[in-house]
Amino acid sequence: MLERWKGMLYLMGAFTLAGTSVITAWLLNGKLGAFTITAASLLLALLCMIPLCMKDLKRTVGRLSWGEWGDLFFQALLGMFLFRMLLLHGLLHTSTAEAGILTGTTPAFTVMLAFVFLKESVSGGKLAGIFSTVGGILVLQGMLTPGISFKVQHVYGNLLVLCAALSESGFNLLSRIGSVKQTSSPNHAMHPGVQTTLVSAIAFLLCLIPAGFEVPFTSLAAIGLREWFALIWYGPIVTAVAFIMWYAGIKRCHVSTAAAFSGMMPFTALLLSVIVLKEPAGWEQWGGGILVVLGMFLIGRQQAKSPPSAKQLQSEHGSLAGSEGIG
């Protein structure tokens, strides 16, 4: 029971920290390129994480198979690199309001992928929690606000944003697959800190080439102390600590549970926008936030009643093995 609640607390902490990135974006907007921000923050995170887990890191790297390296690569590709690229390019062709609505589909995508690939059951209580979370995100992003509608000329941008949401859902699924493999082979278990370090290093390498086109050294030399503080927060805190908490949480919870807790990202962003940036919030934002919290409560209550058992983990591993055989 304690491990189940620990997993949910880890997930809540991870997505709460991820939601604070709205302040970072506000501080760095227009002063650094998107890939420069990502590369610089990842480098700062790595400088903090590598000394802390050097011993475990050397031992883990020495025994990783090509298949495990492939799992880590795709986690970095989907969860850190591709998600940002698709979202940033999508915002060039669509409105922020439409993008906000579409990113709210991440929990739904995650649950569908978990149902198809991991055979996770979706009970009535869990389904109610998922609908409450998705509905809360849609309300939170202003879908019911008059004047917000999807425009035909934004189709391309909207498709890119949907692909970004699907990419994030794929990362959620791959993280769970990796934890299931480690559960079935305890000798190959990877510490969350080591896993975060390796995924961050791969994502950093992926960001180097596109960041090079943004004249990173010139732009970094021009920013002030406040912007450097934002980069430090976005790196060691939002990236390192949040991802460590994510990997610790996903080992203990179903993918659908993690999907529900992802609602903390827009809710935290809303609270910080109101408290720090002094932006106004209407009934849609607060009503959506309440639905998000209700959804997490329903999912958490269901998780506490029916945690992933050893038999379910074996079933998930069997489903995964079957999928790999088809590939």
Side-chain angles (χ1 to χ4, degrees):
M1 175 70 74
L2 179 61
E3 286 299 303
R4 300 196 292 272
W5 285 108
K6 281 174 63 177
M8 289 185 283
L9 288 174
Y10 279 133
L11 290 174
M12 177 175 288
F15 286 114
T16 299
L17 284 175
T20 65
S21 60
V22 64
I23 302 299
T24 304
W26 181 76
L27 290 172
L28 298 172
N29 185 33
K31 298 177 181 179
L32 294 173
F35 290 108
T36 299
I37 294 172
T38 305
S41 61
L42 286 173
L43 179 59
L44 290 171
L46 288 169
L47 290 175
C48 293
M49 290 188 293
I50 290 176
L52 293 175
C53 61
M54 178 63 74
K55 185 177 180 180
D56 289 336
L57 188 62
K58 288 180 178 178
R59 184 168 55 247
T60 301
V61 169
R63 64 168 173 75
L64 284 177
S65 65
W66 284 109
E68 289 170 321
W69 276 114
D71 290 341
L72 293 172
F73 172 81
F74 282 108
Q75 287 179 39
L77 179 68
L78 294 176
M80 289 188 182
F81 179 79
L82 200 56
F83 173 77
R84 288 175 172 86
M85 185 189 72
L86 289 168
L87 184 60
L88 291 169
H89 282 80
L91 286 171
L92 296 175
H93 303 281
T94 190
S95 67
T96 54
E98 291 178 50
I101 292 169
L102 293 170
T103 54
T105 60
T106 299
F109 277 139
T110 301
V111 171
M112 287 189 292
L113 290 175
F115 176 77
V116 172
F117 292 102
L118 297 183
K119 311 301 180 186
E120 283 194 3
S121 60
V122 183
S123 63
K126 186 180 291 186
L127 192 62
I130 292 165
F131 277 127
S132 180
T133 303
V134 175
I137 293 172
L138 297 182
V139 174
L140 187 68
Q141 299 293 346
M143 187 175 183
L144 301 181
T145 302
I148 294 181
S149 60
F150 289 92
K151 297 179 175 61
V152 175
Q153 61 266 37
H154 293 172
V155 170
Y156 177 65
N158 290 338
L159 286 175
L160 289 177
V161 175
L162 277 174
C163 289
L166 185 58
S167 176
E168 181 70 10
S169 301
F171 166 74
N172 295 341
L173 183 73
L174 286 177
S175 299
R176 178 58 181 170
I177 287 173
S179 70
V180 170
K181 287 181 177 179
Q182 292 177 34
T183 301
S184 62
S185 303
N187 292 333
H188 288 79
M190 196 181 306
H191 189 276
V194 172
Q195 191 166 0
T196 300
T197 301
L198 293 174
V199 170
S200 298
I202 295 170
F204 172 71
L205 294 175
L206 292 173
C207 289
L208 282 181
I209 294 178
F213 292 98
E214 297 175 342
V215 196
F217 295 108
T218 302
S219 56
L220 285 170
I223 63 175
L225 184 62
R226 187 178 67 169
E227 288 74 26
W228 276 108
F229 176 78
L231 281 174
I232 292 171
W233 178 265
Y234 195 50
I237 306 300
V238 175
T239 299
V241 177
F243 269 82
I244 288 172
M245 296 181 77
W246 159 260
Y247 283 120
I250 198 64
K251 291 176 184 293
R252 297 168 169 87
C253 298
H254 288 301
V255 177
S256 52
T257 303
F261 277 89
S262 67
M264 279 302 298
M265 287 181 63
F267 186 53
T268 302
L270 166 66
L271 291 177
L272 290 176
S273 296
V274 173
I275 296 171
V276 179
L277 303 183
K278 307 301 181 183
E279 294 184 355
W283 70 267
E284 298 96 338
Q285 285 73 31
W286 294 119
I290 292 172
L291 286 174
V292 166
V293 173
L294 176 61
M296 289 188 296
F297 170 77
L298 292 172
I299 292 289
R301 184 169 175 268
Q302 186 67 30
Q303 169 75 11
K305 286 182 176 181
S306 55
S309 63
K311 184 177 180 181
Q312 287 173 317
L313 291 174
Q314 291 174 0
S315 176
E316 287 184 13
H317 189 263
S319 300
L320 172 60
S323 300
E324 289 178 341
I326 294 173

